[in-house]
Amino acid sequence: MKTRYFLFSLWIAIPSIAFSQKTGIRNSYLNNRLPLMEKPYIELPIGSIKPKGWLLEMLERQKNGATGKMDELYPQVMGNRNGWLGGDGDQWERGPYWIDGLLPLAYILNDQQLKDKVQPWIESILGSQRKDGNFGPAKDYPDETGIQRDNAADWWPRMVVLKIMQQYYSATKDRRVINFFSSYFKYQLKELPGKPLDNWTFWAKYRAADNLQAVYWLYNITGEKFLLDLGHLLHQQSYDFVNMFLQSNKLSQFNSIHCVNLAQGLKEPLIYYQQNPDSMYYQAVKTGLADIRKYNGLPQGMFGGDEGLHGNNPTQGSELCSAVELMYSLEKMLEITGDVGFADHIERIAFNALPSQVSDDFMDKQYFQQANQVAVTRHTRNFYEDAHHEGTDVCYGTLSGYPCCFSNMHQGWPKFTQNLWYATADKGIAALLFSPSEVVATVGDGKYAVHITEETYYPVDDLIKFSVNFPDEKNREVEFPFHVRIPSWTNQPILSVNGKQIEVHKSGDIAVINRKWKSGDRVELKLPMEVETSRWFENSIAVERGPLVYGLEMEENWVKKEFTNNDKPQFGDHYYEVTSPTKWNYGILEFKKENINEHFEVIIDTNKQKSKFFWNKEYAPIKIRTKAKEILSWNLYNEMAGPLPFSVSKGAGNVEEISLIPYGCTTLRISEFPLVR
């Protein structure tokens, strides 16, 4: 992966951006105060970015699906008994998980009904703060089936609440949040030496980065010096990911770490890097991500982790919580570093793993997905959690598998939307992730509001169009830099302004267009997408084109089944099984790299490409056809694709043509193919 360390080039190019930093305010947006290092990119207030096209459709489906209805679908936990609402019910993470996705969705869509669902949680949380600064549930209760109410004092779920309250302040500027945070962080500084992060459970120790980033956020607003002391303390008490990534071989060992702890915790070195800018912290994260890819990586951007880390066999599970949490970690690291590789990785997860693991109506989810997934059935597989979930781990359902993902899946698309655009430290605007959207932000000296519309069918098309307008300054020229990411996977990108091509930038770079802009200016970015292959488990290949991975097109027979009365308390009312009569045991014919374009034929349906929703087999807008042979020795094992034949093997069948579609459009698929002769 080609990555430009843009942060360092930014320091060199514009050293004057060290500015006063007494307030941390640059271009009307909050950057880091000294002594924290300056970030090249600054998150915009919630509501500044609006989705359009297919992305708006995804958020609308969330609104009309489970995200908007969790209080109805899961009243046992999300109802009035929830401890975060002052009740005697669930005291732990699941309620806050829901609000962590519901709140940004409500304010991005500017939907009053959703806001009304959020507000009681906000008021209850603010009202729960005690004189010592602590907040939230304060009493443990006896065990009750289906809810977690015996760890009221745990540091961990409060970290999720901190994320919620940050977003609430971003959307509303409610000053109560500032006093709330300051009081709680004083409490933490006092209590953590005697009751460290792992005092009640181990989760907070691994997930301390969510707490740490909130501490820095408040410091940038208030400048209270004790917050820097708390930052050091949180880092000292957190799990040592620097040592794990740079000194140990734990990423090559099965079950050495919980998969969601890894997805959430890997950002901790780079969050702390803002306070201690030693390159070791940056290098640790880069090395960690490379080793995750090497030992546990899967083509859709995730890693084998069915609760415990579990290697790179494409039939191992990958947890939905890991997907949305890894996206969030990468989003936070992107704004700190401007590292294009992080942006590429976010899109790989968002456009491949995420849509395939949630049903089209956003009502049901898979706890675990498999990169090679040929049967979604209630069956015990080779996952670490097999003994606990009665074979429901890959079934689509509400509480099937484990309920954490049903509670936590809601943050993926709203936070992706929130990170499409950033303010920049050099008084400009940046498009670092791509999807149809529009943004309003101040540029220059903060005097001018620019409105930029992004028109695109990306990621199923290679053309992105930006239209620049100044609603209140139609006849004025405003000078500011416009940063545009050039993904690492593209070759010979074309960037033009008002139809005139400008310097061709290399892949894995960030193009900065610094000029005087006026209403009506247009920027176009053409990102050629060529078929490529990458190597995975047993020397298999994944077929890729642009940000999309492709999987075997298979028929899908969905059958809804009801849980029996004995299972309902644990798993909900229903689940879906998905099976197929389609043959799947294909190896792709071996080919020479220089002949790749002759070996793979790309077919684009332009009507489906323009659809508001294309994330399923029926509406998949792109197909890739290639030659393959059936491998007769590769058979179903334990209702999974059996052991993957090593490439290159002999295919006993005749040469056939197979079709591949985007991974995010599949439910059943092979995405890691052996090569055959």
Side-chain angles (χ1 to χ4, degrees):
M1 181 178 291
K2 292 176 272 187
T3 302
R4 177 185 176 192
Y5 296 97
F6 185 71
L7 174 63
F8 305 117
S9 65
L10 183 63
W11 282 347
I12 294 168
I14 47 172
S16 62
I17 301 304
F19 64 102
S20 70
Q21 272 196 325
K22 288 182 180 179
T23 63
I25 295 175
R26 162 65 65 183
N27 190 32
S28 302
Y29 301 115
L30 200 66
N31 206 320
N32 282 340
R33 287 177 180 258
L34 286 173
L36 301 182
M37 55 159 276
E38 186 184 54
K39 297 183 294 186
Y41 297 107
I42 309 161
E43 185 175 343
L44 293 168
I46 293 177
S48 303
I49 304 165
K50 298 295 185 185
K52 296 171 67 68
W54 71 260
L55 184 57
L56 175 60
E57 176 68 17
M58 296 298 277
L59 296 191
E60 291 283 359
R61 287 178 182 233
Q62 277 198 238
K63 167 191 167 181
N64 297 321
T67 307
K69 299 176 179 177
M70 286 295 285
D71 48 347
E72 304 167 34
L73 298 172
Y74 197 13
Q76 181 185 21
V77 167
M78 307 305 180
N80 291 332
R81 283 188 63 202
N82 190 281
W84 295 96
L85 293 173
D88 67 347
D90 202 284
Q91 309 286 311
W92 215 47
E93 65 183 7
R94 294 180 200 170
Y97 269 160
W98 174 39
I99 306 303
D100 191 33
L102 177 64
L103 190 151
L105 179 69
Y107 283 93
I108 288 170
L109 294 179
N110 195 24
D111 186 282
Q112 191 58 48
Q113 184 179 9
L114 297 186
K115 292 178 186 179
D116 290 344
K117 292 200 175 196
V118 168
Q119 201 61 35
W121 293 77
I122 299 297
E123 298 302 330
S124 180
I125 289 166
L126 289 172
S128 71
Q129 191 161 48
R130 300 177 278 282
K131 289 183 179 181
D132 62 3
N134 198 8
F135 68 91
K139 179 180 178 181
D140 287 340
Y141 294 92
D143 182 64
E144 183 176 325
T145 301
I147 59 177
Q148 299 167 301
R149 59 180 199 156
D150 60 351
N151 273 313
D154 194 8
W155 297 110
W156 153 237
R158 287 166 174 79
M159 297 180 186
V160 187
V161 174
L162 294 176
K163 291 164 62 185
I164 292 169
M165 302 308 286
Q166 279 178 262
Q167 294 176 98
Y168 178 67
Y169 182 85
S170 175
T172 68
K173 298 299 182 287
D174 188 333
R175 292 292 301 181
R176 294 179 297 168
V177 174
I178 305 305
N179 294 332
F180 176 82
F181 270 40
S182 184
S183 295
Y184 177 63
F185 290 147
K186 288 174 183 175
Y187 170 81
Q188 279 201 304
L189 187 61
K190 178 183 177 182
E191 294 294 323
L192 279 171
K195 297 176 182 175
L197 291 175
D198 58 358
N199 186 70
W200 287 284
T201 70
F202 63 84
W203 301 102
K205 181 175 181 177
Y206 286 91
R207 301 175 179 187
D210 288 343
N211 200 149
L212 185 58
Q213 61 84 29
V215 169
Y216 294 153
W217 175 84
L218 182 65
Y219 173 73
N220 292 331
I221 295 173
T222 68
E224 295 170 287
K225 300 301 182 183
F226 83 89
L227 294 166
L228 299 178
D229 296 331
L230 179 57
H232 284 306
L233 181 60
L234 287 167
H235 172 70
Q236 290 164 7
Q237 290 193 3
S238 70
Y239 180 77
D240 190 351
F241 283 97
V242 173
N243 179 71
M244 180 186 192
F245 294 157
L246 293 181
Q247 303 298 329
S248 80
N249 63 350
K250 287 188 176 180
L251 290 177
S252 66
Q253 299 176 5
F254 285 178
N255 210 18
S256 60
I257 188 171
H258 183 271
C259 61
V260 185
N261 283 346
L262 179 59
Q264 288 186 254
L266 67 85
K267 65 179 176 289
E268 197 280 337
L270 267 177
I271 299 294
Y272 183 63
Y273 174 64
Q274 296 171 96
Q275 188 171 0
N276 184 3
D278 186 325
S279 60
M280 168 185 68
Y281 296 107
Y282 199 152
Q283 186 57 49
V285 172
K286 299 292 284 187
T287 300
L289 284 168
D291 284 345
I292 290 169
R293 161 67 167 86
K294 180 178 180 180
Y295 297 110
N296 304 279
L298 300 169
Q300 83 285 49
M302 292 307 301
F303 52 86
D306 29 50
E307 293 287 348
L309 196 64
H310 209 165
N312 56 0
N313 189 319
T315 58
Q316 291 310 142
S318 177
E319 187 177 343
L320 179 54
C321 278
S322 293
V324 295
E325 293 292 358
L326 182 53
M327 285 176 63
Y328 178 71
S329 289
L330 290 162
E331 287 157 2
K332 300 307 291 183
M333 296 192 299
L334 176 60
E335 70 178 65
I336 294 169
T337 65
D339 191 320
V340 171
F342 297 151
D344 291 343
H345 200 160
I346 293 165
E347 290 190 349
R348 196 174 184 95
I349 299 168
F351 298 150
N352 296 286
L354 187 57
S356 69
Q357 206 159 358
V358 183
S359 62
D360 291 353
D361 59 5
F362 216 87
M363 290 291 283
D364 296 281
K365 60 89 187 78
Q366 268 189 312
Y367 175 43
F368 297 146
Q369 65 169 278
Q370 298 168 294
N372 282 2
Q373 182 169 279
V374 296
V376 171
T377 54
R378 186 174 182 180
H379 187 79
T380 299
R381 293 170 170 81
N382 59 324
F383 304 146
Y384 283 128
E385 291 299 296
D386 277 343
H388 306 294
H389 305 145
E390 304 298 329
T392 67
D393 286 341
V394 300
C395 296
Y396 285 84
T398 54
L399 309 183
S400 53
Y402 193 69
C404 60
C405 295
F406 190 50
S407 305
N408 195 21
M409 66 182 184
H410 314 281
Q411 66 171 308
W413 287 118
K415 292 183 182 178
F416 174 80
T417 303
Q418 181 61 21
N419 286 274
L420 293 174
W421 294 89
Y422 295 89
T424 68
D426 57 356
K427 306 181 185 180
I429 189 81
L432 300 188
L433 303 173
F434 302 130
S435 284
S437 61
E438 59 183 326
V439 63
V440 176
T442 59
V443 291
D445 291 323
K447 300 176 183 177
Y448 309 111
V450 65
H451 174 238
I452 303 178
T453 301
E454 179 178 356
E455 297 176 273
T456 185
Y457 301 118
Y458 185 92
V460 296
D461 193 24
D462 60 5
L463 182 62
I464 302 167
K465 298 178 181 180
F466 302 99
S467 301
V468 178
N469 284 284
F470 298 92
D472 300 324
E473 302 286 342
K474 293 184 179 179
N475 298 317
R476 182 184 294 273
E477 291 185 339
V478 180
E479 185 171 1
F480 67 89
F482 187 179
H483 296 222
V484 183
R485 161 176 151 261
I486 309 297
S488 302
W489 46 258
T490 193
N491 291 309
Q492 298 182 323
I494 300 171
L495 186 61
S496 63
V497 178
N498 296 331
K500 183 178 179 180
Q501 186 173 333
I502 61 176
E503 178 187 353
V504 175
H505 289 263
K506 61 184 179 181
S507 60
D509 205 347
I510 293 178
V512 181
I513 312 168
N514 203 338
R515 68 192 300 272
K516 290 183 177 179
W517 300 88
K518 60 182 183 298
S519 286
D521 282 344
R522 295 180 65 84
V523 176
E524 289 195 2
L525 178 62
K526 181 81 168 176
L527 299 172
M529 297 179 179
E530 302 293 339
V531 176
E532 298 179 347
T533 60
S534 53
R535 292 283 177 169
W536 299 89
F537 186 69
E538 296 288 17
N539 207 30
S540 62
I541 65 166
V543 178
E544 305 171 12
R545 182 176 176 272
L548 300 182
V549 178
Y550 285 74
L552 179 68
E553 182 180 27
M554 299 177 64
E555 291 183 46
E556 299 175 4
N557 297 324
W558 288 70
V559 177
K560 184 176 183 179
K561 296 188 175 182
E562 300 295 323
F563 282 113
T564 64
N565 289 335
N566 291 336
D567 287 333
K568 283 180 185 290
Q570 183 174 357
F571 301 120
D573 293 332
H574 69 273
Y575 65 100
Y576 288 93
E577 291 191 330
V578 190
T579 57
S580 176
T582 305
K583 289 191 298 185
W584 54 264
N585 54 337
Y586 287 106
I588 291 177
L589 285 186
E590 186 182 21
F591 59 94
K592 294 182 178 180
K593 188 174 182 179
E594 58 267 26
N595 297 331
I596 192 169
N597 290 330
E598 300 171 12
H599 198 74
F600 295 95
E601 178 189 9
V602 178
I603 300 168
I604 298 175
D605 185 321
T606 55
N607 289 325
K608 290 182 178 180
Q609 192 179 48
K610 299 172 184 176
S611 172
K612 285 188 175 181
F613 185 83
F614 44 69
W615 295 110
N616 60 25
K617 176 182 175 294
E618 181 181 359
Y619 290 103
I622 306 172
K623 290 187 179 183
I624 296 178
R625 291 179 179 167
T626 190
K627 297 292 194 299
K629 286 184 178 180
E630 185 179 3
I631 303 175
L632 299 180
S633 61
W634 188 19
N635 297 311
L636 202 66
Y637 165 77
N638 203 26
E639 299 198 17
M640 303 183 297
L644 190 65
F646 185 81
S647 297
V648 175
S649 61
K650 280 192 173 183
N654 296 322
V655 175
E656 301 179 45
E657 186 174 73
I658 60 172
S659 292
L660 315 180
I661 60 175
Y663 187 109
C665 301
T666 68
T667 302
L668 304 178
R669 64 203 156 242
I670 296 293
S671 66
E672 294 187 31
F673 290 90
L675 290 173
V676 296
R677 292 193 175 97

